Amino acid sequence: MLTDIKNLVNFFPANSLLHKLDARLKIVSLFILIVGIFVFDSQLDYIIWCMLIGTLMYMSKIPLKMFFISIKPIIWIILFTFILHLFTTQGKVIFEIWKLSITWEGLANGSFVCLRLLLLMFGASLLTFTTPTTCII
């Protein structure tokens, strides 16, 4: 578990444009990203956010594996959130067992909330992977 947390805040040295940016700019950009993800929530907005974060991840020259390691500590929260939305959202029923029903709306809401959490984690990981801890503090 401690190694998972250690991987969350590791600086990953590379020669990329993101590594060269000032830490204050990256922190403000992360704040704007966080606010934007919560304010703009249409399907088109999510496509744009995914493309933006994916492009930044590519530009950072950090292996994709590192980003997936960074979400490992919260994967259970993401799965629990998805399952909670899947079974508790009212709507058009896809499948029903006993008193539990899965709805299209629950599937959509759960997917969007999980995507939102993943985008937030990937954005935060971009900050920590491209900025030495001494510059953040």
Side-chain angles (χ1 to χ4, degrees):
M1 180 68 178
L2 289 177
T3 56
D4 293 339
I5 293 171
K6 182 180 173 240
N7 287 331
L8 268 177
V9 293
N10 268 355
F11 171 68
F12 190 88
N15 186 20
S16 73
L17 176 65
L18 291 177
H19 283 78
K20 295 175 185 175
L21 291 175
D22 184 51
R24 293 168 291 196
L25 176 64
K26 290 188 254 187
I27 292 169
V28 169
S29 298
L30 178 62
F31 178 75
I32 292 169
L33 173 86
I34 290 168
V35 170
I37 287 174
F38 283 106
V39 171
F40 304 107
D41 61 353
S42 72
Q43 289 179 356
L44 179 61
D45 294 331
Y46 281 113
I47 291 170
I48 293 169
W49 286 121
C50 287
M51 289 173 51
L52 174 68
I53 300 242
T55 302
L56 291 173
M57 288 166 64
Y58 176 76
M59 287 176 53
S60 72
K61 298 180 181 175
I62 296 170
L64 195 58
K65 178 183 175 185
M66 293 293 294
F67 289 99
F68 287 108
I69 289 172
S70 74
I71 63 167
K72 192 176 174 186
I74 68 157
I75 197 71
W76 293 110
I77 295 170
I78 293 172
L79 288 173
F80 177 74
T81 302
F82 179 75
I83 291 168
L84 191 67
H85 279 276
L86 194 63
F87 287 111
T88 60
T89 305
Q90 299 295 321
K92 186 177 177 185
V93 176
I94 301 172
F95 187 73
E96 188 170 10
I97 299 176
W98 189 48
K99 293 184 180 183
L100 296 175
S101 60
I102 298 174
T103 63
W104 285 108
E105 290 78 3
L107 185 64
N109 288 345
S111 298
F112 283 129
V113 169
C114 290
L115 179 61
R116 183 182 285 169
L117 290 172
L118 287 172
L119 290 173
L120 292 172
M121 278 303 295
F122 288 151
S125 295
L126 274 169
L127 172 70
T128 58
F129 289 155
T130 61
T131 311
T133 309
T134 55
C135 294
I136 295 174
I137 298 172

